[in-house]
Amino acid sequence: MDFKMKNFPQLIKEANEKIRTISVDGLKSIIDDQNLTIIDVQSKEAVEESGMIPNAIHANRGFLEFYIDQRPDNPFKKIDVMPGDKIIVYCGGGGQGALATKTLQDMGFQDVSNLEGGSSAWIKAGNKLTK
């Protein structure tokens, strides 16, 4: 058997080919939408050190599926999302966000996008993070 392992840049590239992205300006234009859920998938340490985009919910990527599973009996549910809600996912630079966005699509969420460039792009555009 000739099995070829994939590396993380390949996984990110494949995810980016299957997901939608949103620019910083695009997020800024809808950030006050009541039907928008912004999810920061960075580590707890990264969020504590740098902060998050305003109104974001922290869901470490390793627990995302547990936190967003909408079953009524899910004891881990941390994020309430309605079926028609728009979801924007981000991380520090875009890679983890792409993988998390692909995971949410695989779970059946339809209106989900990754913030292009993550929180780094958000800051570079002159925006602030909140702690």
Side-chain angles (χ1 to χ4, degrees):
M1 180 192 293
D2 187 22
F3 183 73
K4 184 174 188 251
M5 298 289 292
K6 292 182 183 180
N7 56 42
F8 77 86
Q10 288 171 309
L11 291 173
I12 293 169
K13 180 181 181 290
E14 288 176 9
N16 276 316
E17 291 169 353
K18 296 177 180 168
I19 65 169
R20 287 189 304 266
T21 59
I22 188 168
S23 67
V24 168
D25 287 341
L27 174 55
K28 282 189 73 166
S29 72
I30 61 169
I31 200 161
D32 293 323
D33 186 332
Q34 295 299 317
N35 297 318
L36 173 65
T37 300
I38 306 169
I39 303 174
D40 184 323
V41 296
Q42 297 179 93
S43 70
K44 177 182 175 195
E45 294 77 20
V47 167
E48 287 174 352
E49 182 180 321
S50 301
M52 296 191 302
I53 291 174
N55 303 323
I57 299 167
H58 180 243
N60 184 312
R61 185 173 158 257
F63 294 98
L64 180 62
E65 297 90 339
F66 297 93
Y67 292 158
I68 201 162
D69 179 352
Q70 297 298 295
R71 292 174 301 135
D73 62 341
N74 176 10
F76 304 106
K77 185 167 85 170
K78 180 177 177 178
I79 304 168
D80 286 314
V81 185
M82 298 302 293
D85 287 356
K86 181 171 196 59
I87 301 170
I88 306 295
V89 180
Y90 76 93
C91 62
Q96 289 184 67
L99 296 171
T101 299
K102 173 74 170 62
T103 296
L104 293 180
Q105 283 181 320
D106 290 347
M107 291 179 75
F109 294 98
Q110 296 178 4
D111 195 356
V112 57
S113 301
N114 182 34
L115 177 62
E116 195 173 1
S119 59
S120 296
W122 180 260
I123 293 167
K124 188 175 181 180
N127 301 296
K128 304 276 188 227
L129 299 177
T130 58
K131 290 191 179 189

